Amino acid sequence: GQQVMQIPQYQHVQEGEDFTTYCNSSTTLSNIQWYKQRPGGHPVFLIQLVKSGEVKKQKRLTFQFGEAKKNSSLHITATQTTDVGTYFCAGEGGSEKLVFGKGTKLTVNP
Amino acid sequence: NAGVTQTPKFQVLKTGQSMTLQCAQDMNHEYMSWYRQDPGMGLRLIHYSVGAGITDQGEVPNGYNVSRSTTEDFPLRLLSAAPSQTSVYFCASFPSLAGELFFGEGSRLTVL
């Protein structure tokens, strides 16, 4: 079945450093979504990418969708303590089910 | 506009007991799903529904039952609780497969 792999599993950075998480699918995706879950909270939608090679920005966050629509990345520039949490990617690849990656837990040292 | 409401927020069960986690949404979304979240395992799909009267299994359906009699409600039933079902459960609703998922605040279940 469809699998979505996400790396790294954990990332610890100093405040002000950049952060990137990567998502790879075993199948071509129709779209990919990114979610953020704060500690003790629930996942909250960040963005959706649909087109091959698409790049979207939200302030310090940059999201990319690969040309083959099988991988994606989320890059945060100059992390802040408010960025802490777990970031999940989720994709639908023909199974009519949204499959989540295992997430990348980001901690930021002030 | 409440969004997705899950109850209870916390529950402790003994092995073999049954219970129902409630989920209700007021956004008129056709799609609803249940996930469980365990440390290091991400969000795993238990059951989902594409509309009233229609449900299907996800990745980890064993030990759980669902029904969708109305668009608004999607309860998750644990038939005979086991310690392996200790987890945080999230309900989500969404307008389409390509649409944003709206999650409830979660239900933390402990089975002793």
Side-chain angles (χ1 to χ4, degrees), chain A:
Chain A
Q2 179 192 352
Q3 290 186 336
V4 175
M5 282 74 69
Q6 199 173 344
I7 57 170
Q9 191 173 357
Y10 302 96
Q11 184 77 59
H12 180 77
V13 300
Q14 289 292 124
E15 190 172 20
E17 291 182 338
D18 292 356
F19 159 76
T20 305
T21 174
Y22 301 91
C23 189
N24 290 286
S25 171
S26 58
T27 60
T28 301
L29 301 171
S30 58
N31 67 80
I32 194 156
Q33 300 178 9
W34 286 91
Y35 291 80
K36 176 183 179 182
Q37 183 178 24
R38 294 182 187 274
H42 59 279
V44 174
F45 176 82
L46 292 176
I47 207 160
Q48 177 176 264
L49 304 171
V50 178
K51 299 177 183 177
S52 168
E54 190 170 13
V55 178
K56 287 189 176 180
K57 293 190 176 185
Q58 289 180 349
K59 297 183 180 178
R60 294 178 294 104
L61 277 61
T62 303
F63 304 84
Q64 294 188 327
F65 201 10
E67 293 289 342
K69 300 183 74 173
K70 296 183 75 173
N71 57 73
S72 181
S73 65
L74 158 59
H75 179 83
I76 302 178
T77 303
T79 54
Q80 300 175 357
T81 54
T82 53
D83 295 325
V84 299
T86 301
Y87 292 85
F88 293 97
C89 62
E92 192 280 317
S95 65
E96 297 192 332
K97 299 174 190 176
L98 198 63
V99 177
F100 279 80
K102 292 185 178 180
T104 296
K105 184 176 182 180
L106 172 66
T107 55
V108 179
N109 204 25

